[in-house]
Amino acid sequence: MSAPRVRRAVVVVLDSLGIGALPDAKGFGDAGSDTLGHIAAACAAGEADSARRAGLPEWLQRSGPLRVPNLEALGLGRAARLATGRLPTGFDETAPMRGAWAAARERSPGKDTVTGHWELMGLPLQREWGYFTAPVDSFPPALLDALVAECGLPGWLGNCHASGTEILKRLGEAHLASGKPIVYTSADSVLQIAAHEQHFGLQHLYALCEAARRRVDAWNIGRVIARPFVGDSAGNFRRTGNRHDYAVPPPGPTLLDVLQQNGLATVGVGKIGDLFAHRGLDEEIHASGLDGQIDATLAAIDALERPGLLFANLVDFDSEYGHRRDVAGYAAALERFDARLPELRARLDSDDLLVLTADHGNDPTWRGSDHTREHVPMLVSGARIAPVSLGLRDSFADLAQGLASAFGLAPLAAGRDLFE
């Protein structure tokens, strides 16, 4: 099919919804990973039923097979079959389609959030990030000593690879007692700093992360992440919605830059602004929680009167359920999004486009707590979109190239038109 001409495009990233391991996944330790497939199989086997606990939202208390009929009708199962050769367990071969679907491979070397988003916007990574690979004593002493001296810190805690929730349970009380921030990393190119919002101070944490951002360039690190938390003991520490990501600016133009230069609107919802170092965006809208992020996206669509792109990230799939290896929670979140998907589609005018995609995998059945190197779905719907397969794509950048064509812009440097 040829690219439709559009007035507005809405791209929603279901953060970490991978649909099967990439051919090179073995090199990342991820051969056999399959975020969607393994969730669907666990649900069908009765292994993803939520424990009934007071205080949980009703939608988090789920049981039985995975039920995502709206995503299925937009081609999620068929996109997964392009990647793996099979439909996820419980998906219907005969379900009528209401959109076009594709599976895309990441060309960039990596499986992190920044890399995935940049490639989705037409800028594949040419050089691999630097990493802090040592499981303990992960950060160079020169880096930590410089931060202690510059920011007047009493020292640090952690300095290791860790899950964000696990390290709060282990070191949160020591942080309160000592005033030392908790520094940790993962398989991503990242330095994360956790500190208590009241006892350490949110602005103090941000200033520390800004200092770290300036210094980690020497190691070619993609992101520094501020991880504020609240609570008074290991049993009730919880991270807040005041997370802030400090990313390297993209090393070249992205679709966001090109749209903005051509007078088209660019709006980011969620952490999009952080991931692009606040470049190429007319407006940034922050929200926390899955429903909050969906609500913010709906309100942004309603407010977007000019032609252009709304780019939203729904981070909770990744941060709340993927990294925490919470299969039941991830399944419930998918079902919650699916139940609200008709609200998104109802906001579309006849010349609008909706794209649902992801930036990497994070298989909640997989070992460890890190991302997984997987294909991602590209589900395209709108009044002018025929229900056809768009095939197996060689780069996430095909999305940006397709959108550039749909907006009537010149071709970008990377990718092949998604609609060709």
Side-chain angles (χ1 to χ4, degrees):
M1 65 182 290
S2 59
R5 294 303 296 268
V6 301
R7 190 177 74 87
R8 301 184 304 177
V10 178
V11 176
V12 179
V13 178
L14 280 64
D15 198 313
S16 83
L17 184 59
I19 54 172
L22 288 175
D24 64 358
K26 183 177 180 181
F28 295 80
D30 296 329
S33 60
D34 185 353
T35 300
L36 176 64
H38 288 159
I39 291 171
C43 289
E47 298 169 355
D49 296 352
S50 302
R52 293 278 169 176
R53 297 204 309 270
L56 281 180
E58 182 64 28
W59 61 263
L60 270 173
Q61 301 179 0
R62 54 101 45 221
S63 63
L66 183 66
R67 300 177 183 89
V68 287
N70 295 304
L71 285 166
E72 190 169 0
L74 295 185
L76 180 59
R78 298 190 187 199
R81 185 169 61 186
L82 288 171
T84 66
R86 62 188 181 278
L87 286 175
T89 305
F91 279 60
D92 184 359
E93 171 72 40
T94 64
M97 296 292 104
R98 296 200 300 268
W101 62 92
R105 292 174 172 172
E106 187 166 22
R107 198 173 91 187
S108 304
K111 54 178 180 177
D112 64 277
T113 300
V114 171
T115 301
H117 281 74
W118 285 4
E119 187 166 330
L120 286 169
M121 289 293 105
L123 187 66
L125 193 67
Q126 301 300 318
R127 179 168 70 106
E128 190 170 7
W129 295 113
Y131 300 91
F132 298 117
T133 56
V136 296
D137 296 327
S138 303
F139 303 111
L143 170 59
L144 295 180
D145 290 346
L147 290 175
V148 165
E150 179 178 349
C151 300
L153 302 174
W156 62 82
L157 300 169
N159 190 15
C160 59
H161 280 235
S163 156
T165 51
E166 176 274 330
I167 204 165
L168 291 187
K169 292 177 182 177
R170 180 158 57 90
L171 296 176
E173 291 180 358
H175 163 71
L176 293 182
S178 68
K180 298 176 181 178
I182 304 168
V183 296
Y184 63 105
T185 189
S186 69
D188 288 349
S189 180
V190 66
L191 187 160
Q192 302 188 76
I193 306 178
H196 197 278
E197 283 199 358
Q198 285 80 44
H199 291 269
F200 190 85
L202 189 59
Q203 296 308 315
H204 190 192
L205 173 59
Y206 290 164
L208 173 58
C209 289
E210 289 167 5
R213 173 68 269 169
R214 292 191 296 272
R215 294 185 177 276
V216 297
D217 285 346
W219 287 270
N220 191 33
I221 300 302
R223 274 187 299 168
V224 173
I225 305 178
R227 293 285 197 177
F229 67 96
V230 295
D232 56 19
S233 68
N236 64 20
F237 289 137
R238 62 176 181 83
R239 298 192 298 198
T240 75
N242 291 320
R243 161 186 172 159
H244 193 73
D245 294 41
Y246 300 83
V248 174
T254 70
L255 177 65
L256 295 173
D257 298 312
V258 174
L259 290 170
Q260 196 174 58
Q261 291 161 8
N262 281 273
L264 295 163
T266 53
V267 179
V269 177
K271 63 180 183 177
I272 296 298
D274 289 349
L275 299 177
F276 289 85
H278 312 285
R279 201 183 79 194
L281 291 166
D282 300 333
E283 183 180 4
E284 298 179 26
I285 300 167
H286 296 278
S288 61
L290 181 59
D291 275 326
Q293 292 152 10
I294 295 171
D295 289 343
T297 302
L298 295 172
I301 296 172
D302 290 341
L304 184 57
E305 297 179 351
R306 293 168 51 209
L309 173 67
L310 191 156
F311 192 17
N313 173 281
L314 307 183
V315 70
D316 280 34
F317 295 105
D318 183 58
S319 61
E320 295 297 314
Y321 309 113
H323 284 301
R324 299 184 186 192
R325 296 305 189 245
D326 181 353
V327 182
Y330 207 131
L334 285 174
E335 291 170 338
R336 179 60 171 176
F337 176 77
D338 189 83
R340 299 202 62 184
L341 181 51
E343 297 177 59
L344 277 173
R345 287 174 49 80
R347 295 306 207 278
L348 302 180
D349 294 333
S350 60
D351 52 358
D352 292 342
L353 200 65
L354 173 66
V355 181
L356 305 178
T357 187
D359 52 342
H360 49 68
N362 200 346
D363 187 339
T365 73
W366 207 242
R367 58 187 170 273
S369 60
D370 292 319
H371 297 156
T372 41
R373 174 87 169 168
E374 298 185 47
H375 298 81
V376 303
M378 290 185 178
L379 313 180
V380 187
S381 59
R384 302 179 182 181
I385 299 299
V388 297
S389 172
L390 300 174
L392 184 60
R393 317 299 302 195
D394 291 332
S395 173
F396 294 2
D398 288 7
L399 172 59
Q401 197 70 265
L403 291 174
S405 177
F407 281 116
L409 302 176
L412 305 178
R416 183 169 59 90
D417 189 337
L418 180 63
F419 300 102
E420 288 183 352

